[in-house]
Amino acid sequence: MSTIKTAFGVEDLGCRRVAVIGAGNMGGGIAAQFANAGIAVDLLDRAGPDGVRDAPAEQGLAQQIARQAFMGEAPVSLVRVGNTEDHLERVAEADWIVEVILEDLDLKRALYERIEPLRKPDAIVSSNTSTILRGRLIEGRGAAFQDHFLISHFFNPPRRMALLELIGSEDRVAFDRAAEIGRKALGKTVIECRDTPGFIANRLGCTWLSVAVVEALRLGLTVEEADAVHMAFGVPRTGVFGLLDLVGLDVVKPIWGSLMAALPRTDAINAFDLPGQGVITDLVSAGRFGRKSRAGFFRKSESGALEALDLNSGVYRAHSGFAQKDLPGAGRDLDLLLNNDTASGAYARAVLAQVVGYALTHAGEIAPSLKETDLGMELGYAWRAGPVALWRELSPETQARLRAQMPEGVPFEALATPVVRSGEADRLSRAQAAGQALAQNSSAALWDLGDDVICLDIRSKMHALGPEVFDILEEGVSRLNGAARGMVVGNHNPRVFSAGADLSKMVAWIEGGKWAAIEAFITRGQMVLAALRTAHTPSVAAMRGLALGGGCELAMHCTGTVAHAETRIGLPEHLVGLVPGWGGCRRLLDRARATASHEADLSDRITRAFHAATLEAPAGSAREAGDLALLDPSQPVVMHDDDVFAAALAHLDTLEPRQGAQEVVTLRLDRQAVLSGLLSERETARDEGRITPNAFALQSRIAEIFAAGGAGTSEADLAALESEVFMALVATPETLARIGHMLRTGKPLH
């Protein structure tokens, strides 16, 4: 069994083992996400032929590995496969049993009949159904089973989609426990639903898509124009027709048909009959299901050019290029669009009036409050804001115009109750609201969080590290050596911790020939991070989103880290023609030495550290960053990104100041031997054309630092070597070209 560390807070949940029955795409993904949290999982499916009876579950596990549902290799070992004929008794060990089999009421009921006598008294049982009501599923089961039975509607893929819809009994114990597990172990935002067809997200989402397609046809819009209007609403770039291509047009009839049949004929989803539209039936009949068949509402021609379906003729034509920028006000002013007397304006009014009216009309039926209806669309369909939130943003004049297009009887009185969002009313939010920073400039601020704890809040573009950030960091370190008992480095930005050094400033210095300024910047970064590392009291990096280059190095110099599981961490300096200049290689060497038991072991660990410093892409998760030693794997990983800052504060309370004295080097390797070993594989790759000569030269300079560290070179001499190599590379035209390309495109120059 793997020794993977459980995610932060999971030990307290009382959920040590889970059984997932059904190893298809959804069931396998749910199993993988539980394993990512460090929870052991039994993944069961039907029995295969004799000799390979576990084959269906094994195939499901293999598919999840291929789809990168697991955060690295370690979580995979937590999944034990089996089949429901030979191994169903394993559910007796489970604290949560998740059923993810075919949408067949009789099959599900038969399975529950077998599970009921095996279930532990407090174990949760749930179904991932999206179409069958909870009340029908539990008919015939005992009271204890019914009280512990939930609908747990995950969205696909379970690792990436943040929403989990839960439906429980009047007894809140099982619901509340599942909600806590869903958040802390699975990283989900849980919303409570009523036991009604389609629950919240699919009830609203499917109706929205039906309205959007039918109104586009009625008003004569092109697919490009309709998608552009929805982007103005804050819908992702797929829009409506692109989303249907992504979902698959072949599932429209079964999914929409099932929901439409379950709802009254008077429901709007039946009035806007998506499966009955000729354009849908024609595409499905022609085998044009969308992306899975490489043709739907959009396709690529033989030359690779994007084409769009003409909704009138059914013939593909060149994509018009119409986009959000071509709407009134460039699609940035929703009031302007909704009041514009163009086809796009009429379409925007028709769709938004229907969707807002539908949400208000059915909110009380499907959800405890309007908050849940908005969250369903925001998390289930990636809307920037839910329909009610969009409505509240509109001017009274625009609202009045839309009301005139809504069906009769829309209960606008529901809007009188404010929508209360949980938000982030934590210590940082309160400090920021008070507006009195201990120190601040345009790039960073230092906040007093109370209880002698401070926070470094980087707020430059992409949280890049420049001289102004170092000004505030130095003030923070000074307080760590004074009255502060600890510091958190981080804020509430879910997209980026820090993308590294300020490259635009670097370009300006290079173009101006200000080499002394660059060297001073590197030296200052080395000094301030070293001071952070050796401060009297501890610091914790609260990491979400991207932590690249200097951002990764900043976290490496903190006493501890708390990282969201999906944090992308790496040292990509070589991709812009440079080497890590602020101790990234040195900290990787520290971790290699701390875990090495003999010379050969140290050599192997240095090789792995060199690999981590020369990756073409950042680690795909915090778990994988821990495997690479870019993160200390003993530090907490948090599954829900909104919990990171609070977890960092809790973790800070457990830390002692890290001692700054350099550890005595007991293992020393031959410098040239280490260098040759690190580069032998790269030389082969260069000779075979798998990496360019320029890339090999860059990696050779990084290898020099690791070879020196392996030989026992002092911290000060390694820092000097770092600076020397950095300055040699930054002066080359190739490096300027690489940095410029990265700034322009966001991609490395190969």
Side-chain angles (χ1 to χ4, degrees):
M1 186 63 66
S2 170
T3 57
I4 181 174
K5 182 180 175 71
T6 56
F8 184 85
V10 170
E11 287 287 342
D12 302 327
L13 296 176
C15 185
R16 291 176 174 79
R17 189 166 204 95
V18 169
V20 178
I21 303 176
N25 191 26
M26 180 64 82
I30 293 169
Q33 189 67 354
F34 273 109
N36 288 334
I39 296 173
V41 184
D42 280 296
L43 180 60
L44 309 179
D45 207 306
R46 67 189 186 282
D50 289 343
V52 286
R53 290 176 65 78
D54 294 343
E58 289 174 346
Q59 182 180 6
L61 179 62
Q63 287 175 340
Q64 295 307 315
I65 294 171
R67 290 171 177 153
Q68 298 183 321
F70 290 96
M71 297 176 183
E73 297 178 2
V76 179
S77 65
L78 290 175
V79 180
R80 177 173 62 170
V81 298
N83 67 80
T84 53
E85 296 301 318
D86 304 329
H87 306 119
L88 191 64
E89 73 280 355
R90 292 182 188 171
V91 303
E93 304 173 47
D95 299 296
W96 188 343
I97 304 163
V98 187
E99 169 268 302
V100 201
I101 65 173
L102 292 174
E103 287 288 85
D104 184 296
L105 180 60
D106 292 336
L107 284 177
K108 291 177 186 288
R109 285 177 173 171
L111 177 62
Y112 304 154
E113 185 175 5
R114 296 176 62 199
I115 288 173
E116 186 169 16
L118 298 171
R119 184 187 70 88
K120 289 197 302 186
D122 294 329
I124 298 165
V125 181
S126 70
S127 174
N128 191 61
T129 181
S130 59
T131 62
I132 305 175
L133 299 184
R134 177 183 177 276
R136 300 194 67 195
L137 290 168
I138 58 177
E139 288 177 5
R141 304 274 59 82
F145 186 96
Q146 292 189 13
D147 284 344
H148 288 82
F149 186 88
L150 309 170
I151 300 295
S152 55
H153 184 216
F154 291 83
F155 286 71
N156 205 20
R159 174 178 172 182
R160 307 294 180 189
M161 295 296 286
L163 182 61
L164 172 58
E165 294 180 322
L166 285 183
I167 302 167
S169 67
E170 293 182 3
D171 182 344
R172 301 284 304 185
V173 174
F175 181 96
D176 291 344
R177 186 171 168 226
E180 188 177 20
I181 295 169
R183 183 180 182 101
K184 292 183 178 178
L186 301 174
K188 303 303 175 191
T189 296
V190 177
I191 60 174
E192 182 177 358
C193 305
R194 307 297 191 207
D195 193 20
T196 56
F199 314 131
I200 295 174
N202 283 345
R203 175 79 172 270
L204 294 177
C206 288
T207 302
W208 158 58
L209 289 167
S210 296
V211 169
V213 171
V214 173
E215 290 291 4
L217 292 167
R218 180 179 71 86
L219 292 167
L221 266 73
T222 66
V223 292
E224 299 98 322
E225 290 168 339
D227 284 352
V229 167
H230 281 87
M231 281 183 254
F233 289 172
V235 174
R237 292 179 64 83
T238 55
V240 167
F241 290 99
L243 178 58
L244 286 169
D245 272 358
L246 180 63
V247 170
L249 301 177
D250 54 326
V251 305
V252 168
K253 184 175 181 179
I255 291 177
W256 269 257
S258 174
L259 186 55
M260 291 165 68
L263 291 169
R265 292 299 306 166
T266 54
D267 193 277
I269 198 170
N270 282 302
F272 293 87
D273 180 5
L274 182 63
Q277 300 304 308
V279 66
I280 298 288
T281 56
D282 289 349
L283 285 169
V284 172
S285 297
R288 296 170 177 169
F289 304 146
R291 292 193 188 183
K292 66 181 70 174
S293 62
R294 299 186 178 182
F297 288 107
F298 298 96
R299 74 174 186 183
K300 287 191 175 179
S301 67
E302 292 182 2
S303 66
L306 184 62
E307 296 182 332
L309 187 75
D310 185 294
L311 295 177
N312 292 318
S313 67
V315 175
Y316 288 101
R317 52 166 175 74
H319 192 285
S320 69
F322 191 95
Q324 182 180 349
K325 63 179 176 57
D326 299 307
L327 295 171
R332 295 191 182 95
D333 185 332
L334 194 52
D335 276 293
L336 181 63
L337 173 62
L338 289 165
N339 286 291
N340 194 269
D341 292 325
T342 60
S344 295
Y347 178 66
R349 290 191 296 275
V351 173
L352 199 57
Q354 285 290 340
V355 174
V356 171
Y358 192 83
L360 290 173
T361 299
H362 296 286
E365 170 193 346
I366 65 178
S369 73
L370 292 176
K371 177 184 75 173
E372 285 82 12
T373 60
D374 272 355
L375 278 174
M377 293 303 289
E378 290 166 17
L379 299 178
Y381 288 85
W383 280 37
R384 172 185 63 81
V388 176
L390 284 180
W391 173 267
R392 292 181 190 273
E393 294 176 6
L394 301 176
S395 69
E397 294 76 16
T398 304
Q399 290 178 352
R401 189 168 187 180
L402 290 183
R403 281 192 186 210
Q405 293 188 232
M406 289 184 180
E408 292 184 6
V410 173
F412 288 101
E413 61 273 11
L415 291 167
T417 303
V419 174
V420 179
R421 307 297 281 266
S422 58
E424 297 193 275
D426 59 13
R427 288 159 67 179
L428 175 58
S429 298
R430 292 194 294 271
Q432 291 171 330
Q436 295 181 341
L438 298 171
Q440 65 179 323
N441 56 34
S442 61
S443 296
L446 195 68
W447 302 101
D448 182 354
L449 302 184
D451 196 25
D452 296 326
V453 174
I454 58 179
C455 173
L456 174 67
D457 170 17
I458 304 171
R459 52 196 188 189
S460 53
K461 183 178 180 181
M462 294 299 289
H463 296 193
L465 304 181
E468 295 82 5
V469 174
F470 287 158
D471 289 342
I472 306 301
L473 177 55
E474 284 176 341
E475 175 65 23
V477 171
S478 174
R479 290 173 182 266
L480 291 179
N481 290 325
R485 69 176 184 86
M487 179 171 71
V488 174
V489 180
N491 51 44
H492 296 318
N493 187 336
R495 294 180 176 84
V496 59
F497 171 73
S498 171
D502 187 341
L503 291 180
S504 60
K505 191 172 292 294
M506 192 77 68
V507 167
W509 282 333
I510 294 171
E511 292 179 338
K514 297 181 179 180
W515 310 113
I518 297 174
E519 187 167 16
F521 182 51
I522 296 305
T523 301
R524 187 184 185 197
Q526 291 176 337
M527 292 176 65
V528 70
L529 293 187
L532 173 66
R533 181 170 174 256
T534 58
H536 292 168
T537 52
S539 56
V540 172
M543 306 173 71
R544 299 198 286 177
L546 294 174
L548 304 178
C552 176
E553 292 173 302
L554 172 60
M556 284 176 153
H557 284 78
C558 289
T559 316
T561 60
V562 170
H564 178 229
E566 297 289 0
T567 306
R568 302 290 305 280
I569 303 166
L571 294 169
E573 285 87 348
H574 65 103
L575 299 177
V576 292
L578 297 170
V579 298
W582 291 328
C585 297
R586 285 181 277 143
R587 301 289 70 79
L588 286 171
L589 281 162
D590 285 345
R591 290 171 183 170
R593 286 194 174 281
T595 52
S597 56
H598 50 79
E599 289 185 0
D601 187 21
L602 177 59
S603 178
D604 179 60
R605 291 179 187 277
I606 289 176
T607 299
R608 282 185 276 171
F610 174 61
H611 168 70
T614 54
L615 290 171
E616 291 293 310
S621 67
R623 296 282 193 202
E624 290 162 275
D627 293 340
L628 293 162
L630 291 165
L631 276 182
D632 179 344
S634 70
Q635 297 294 296
V637 169
V638 177
M639 297 302 287
H640 197 294
D641 66 347
D642 281 348
D643 293 340
V644 169
F645 199 86
L649 284 167
H651 187 47
L652 185 67
D653 289 338
T654 71
L655 297 176
E656 296 293 332
R658 183 161 52 188
Q659 300 303 313
Q662 186 174 356
E663 295 181 7
V664 176
V665 175
T666 57
L667 294 175
R668 295 177 184 271
L669 306 175
D670 180 78
R671 186 167 181 166
Q672 188 57 46
V674 173
L675 184 62
S676 297
L678 294 178
L679 293 178
S680 60
E681 182 183 324
R682 309 300 168 97
E683 288 173 340
T684 302
R686 177 200 59 194
D687 295 343
E688 293 177 352
R690 289 184 282 118
I691 63 173
T692 66
N694 184 257
F696 176 78
L698 286 166
Q699 293 174 23
S700 298
R701 302 310 305 265
I702 297 172
E704 291 176 21
I705 299 170
F706 282 101
T713 301
S714 70
E715 176 84 2
D717 287 344
L718 279 176
L721 177 59
E722 233 173 32
S723 182
E724 174 191 324
V725 173
F726 190 98
M727 292 306 299
L729 292 171
V730 80
T732 64
E734 293 83 4
T735 293
L736 179 59
R738 285 174 174 272
I739 295 175
H741 184 81
M742 179 68 80
L743 288 172
R744 288 191 305 274
T745 69
K747 298 177 181 178
L749 179 63
H750 294 289

